[in-house]
Amino acid sequence: MRVAMDTAHLDWPFFDAGSRAFARDVGGWAEAHLADGAHPTSRDAVDARCRALVAMLGESGLLRHAVAGTAHGGAAERIDTRNLCLARETLAFHDGLADFAFAMQGLGSGALSLAGSEAQKARWLPEVAAGRALAAFCLSEPEAGSDVAAMACRARHDGAGWVLDGEKTWISNGGIADLHVVFARTGEGEPGRPSSGISAFAVPADAPGFAVAERIDVMAPHPLARLRFDGCRLGPEALIGAEGEGFKIAMRTLDVFRTSVAAAALGFGRRALHEGLARATSRTMFGQALADFQLTQAALATMATETDAAALLVYRAAWARDQGRTVTREAAMAKLAATEGAQRTIDRALQMWGGAGVVSGNTVERLYRDIRALRIYEGATEVQQLIIGRDLVKGFGR
Ligand SMILES: Cc1cc2nc3c(=O)[nH]c(=O)nc-3n(C[C@H](O)[C@H](O)[C@H](O)COP(=O)(O)OP(=O)(O)OC[C@H]3O[C@@H](n4cnc5c(N)ncnc54)[C@H](O)[C@@H]3O)c2cc1C
């Protein structure tokens, strides 16, 4: 059944006429093209659905909002964070895999949008924006997740080019991506700053020495893999930005996309609120509707309040970034509040559905699985808490 998303928040002052028009477009597209968001049941079906969604999002023009530079297929010179968030909120409301497909095109090519050479942008961004090339962001390793600087994957000079050796894991779009932006150690870095020895590379899927070592199946199915680089040879054109700038490029990319993870969580939470209301108002028990009980109204009030709080934090961070401000703290607050809040809202909605809530294929059951990984990737909740806490202490003069 097609469900329209509540868009009352579009009246807020964070938005201008352009963002409101964009929100209407993406909402109309999602209602027309995304059915019930059911999870595909096999790996092949997940891969096929993901490729199809990327192609559809490319054809619709929506993916242009995930890359920067009008000369290279982008909708604007700079990624508009509010549009990015509106797209992710809306897609997540309808279909978690559609949100994933959209987000990965942006995250996977983000290093090129932000720091790529003209030649790198010209080669990849138009293909990514059109949905013809799939992109992956390759930062995490088996022994370097939250602790990014513990990275062991290495790139060494080889004549004019590079040779890459090591592993990356938990790589979204791994197994189906055409472009991999890979972060690797090219030196030890300055004393006390090991992250300054990291560089970024654009690695095509057909690079010699590149292999998909293992596909990983997860609770909310999407393409995910461990990747291996065994003497993987790259030309000089593979280096993104300057040698040693990779960590900064990764953090700049995450500064843009972290707020959008919060927006996706907001979309999941908003859908759960809708599902909770639909159930509470239609289920009768003890001679009245479930929604007539004060306990239910208290739960709904908490769900709506957490959803609005998340939306305020998401669009504050997005608006501030679009004003050119540094939003490290605001983005961390948005991700922390939106992902944790959506998890609680989804759990409450599922509870209202009773036994039906845990039946495979029920929307709240799907949301329950869709939300979980968002509290871990692009910086786990505890990492966001540390970012906020450190910033507060620093701002207090220490
Ligand atoms: C579905 C999914 C998709 C992903 N996609 C990508 C991708 O496309 N590209 C990519 O590079 N990576 C990706 N990741 C990896 C993700 O970013 C890492 O899983 C994440 O950074 C955590 O790293 P880890 O799994 O090694 O956990 P660890 O670093 O071992 O952390 C485990 C837990 O420890 C806690 N913790 C962490 N730091 C602290 C602290 N300082 N104090 C107290 N507790 C702490 C947190 O609760 C954390 O969940 C993905 C992960 C998942 C689950």
Side-chain angles (χ1 to χ4, degrees):
M1 191 182 65
R2 284 184 187 164
V3 176
M5 190 178 86
D6 178 4
T7 53
H9 58 309
L10 290 175
D11 284 344
W12 292 350
F14 298 123
F15 302 108
D16 55 23
S19 28
R20 291 188 185 102
F22 175 73
R24 273 195 301 278
D25 287 351
V26 70
W29 185 87
E31 283 170 42
H33 292 88
L34 303 175
D36 59 359
H39 288 153
T41 48
S42 70
R43 190 183 293 163
D44 286 348
V46 171
D47 289 359
R49 177 78 183 137
C50 206
R51 284 196 182 95
L53 282 165
V54 171
M56 284 159 65
L57 288 162
E59 269 167 39
S60 72
L62 288 176
L63 281 181
R64 294 190 306 116
H65 296 269
V67 305
T70 51
H72 305 300
E77 293 315 320
R78 199 167 177 269
I79 292 176
D80 183 295
T81 325
R82 285 166 293 177
N83 283 356
L84 190 68
C85 290
L86 286 166
R88 291 203 64 181
E89 179 189 357
T90 311
L91 295 172
F93 180 90
H94 291 278
D95 180 344
L97 203 53
D99 164 61
F100 168 84
F102 174 85
M104 282 317 302
Q105 291 300 91
L107 179 67
S109 66
L112 297 182
S113 282
L114 292 168
S117 67
E118 276 307 304
Q120 287 167 338
K121 289 180 181 181
R123 171 165 181 201
W124 287 112
L125 294 183
E127 293 296 292
V128 170
R132 289 189 293 266
L134 277 79
F137 176 83
C138 311
L139 184 64
S140 304
E141 299 182 7
E143 300 305 324
S146 306
D147 184 6
V148 177
M151 164 179 310
C153 187
R154 287 195 168 265
R156 59 186 159 81
H157 287 279
D158 175 48
W162 299 88
V163 175
L164 203 54
D165 281 292
E167 266 192 10
K168 293 287 167 184
T169 194
W170 312 119
I171 303 308
S172 297
N173 270 351
I176 64 167
D178 303 288
L179 161 70
H180 307 82
V181 166
V182 179
F183 298 88
R185 189 161 285 291
T186 46
E188 298 322 308
E190 296 160 22
R193 286 187 60 233
S195 58
S196 60
I198 292 170
S199 303
F201 299 89
V203 182
D206 60 1
F210 165 81
V212 177
E214 177 194 13
R215 290 292 301 267
I216 305 167
D217 297 321
V218 282
M219 61 199 282
H222 71 253
L224 196 70
R226 181 165 58 87
L227 308 177
R228 267 214 70 74
F229 305 89
D230 277 318
C232 175
R233 290 189 180 281
L234 302 170
E237 73 288 349
L239 180 69
I240 303 171
E243 188 176 337
E245 295 261 294
F247 186 76
K248 267 194 215 151
I249 293 172
M251 293 306 118
R252 281 175 65 202
T253 310
L254 291 177
D255 257 0
V256 180
F257 286 91
R258 189 166 276 158
T259 307
S260 81
V261 177
L266 170 62
F268 290 139
R270 204 182 278 293
R271 181 60 182 263
L273 175 57
H274 173 93
E275 298 298 325
L277 277 164
R279 173 69 172 185
T281 51
S282 61
R283 174 74 168 166
T284 49
M285 60 179 76
F286 306 108
Q288 58 181 0
L290 177 59
D292 293 330
F293 291 94
Q294 288 187 338
L295 282 173
T296 309
Q297 290 175 16
L300 288 167
T302 306
M303 291 157 76
T305 305
E306 292 218 67
T307 303
D308 267 11
L312 284 161
L313 287 171
V314 166
Y315 290 108
R316 174 183 72 162
W319 168 83
R321 183 175 179 279
D322 289 340
Q323 305 307 303
R325 301 186 196 175
T326 302
V327 295
T328 308
R329 190 206 298 188
E330 287 83 355
M333 285 181 166
K335 182 172 186 282
L336 171 66
T339 57
E340 295 289 331
Q343 180 88 62
R344 289 188 291 268
T345 296
I346 291 166
D347 190 53
R348 286 192 171 99
L350 190 150
Q351 190 75 6
M352 287 176 192
W353 278 80
V358 294
V359 173
S360 300
N362 187 316
T363 301
V364 288
E365 182 269 348
R366 168 174 64 77
L367 292 167
Y368 196 80
R369 290 185 289 122
D370 272 329
I371 187 61
R372 191 61 184 87
L374 279 67
R375 292 168 55 208
I376 297 170
Y377 61 60
E378 293 191 38
T381 288
E382 291 79 1
V383 172
Q384 308 308 326
Q385 288 172 319
L386 288 175
I387 291 172
I388 299 162
R390 268 201 297 262
D391 196 54
L392 283 169
V393 173
K394 196 170 125 201
F396 203 68
R398 266 192 68 210

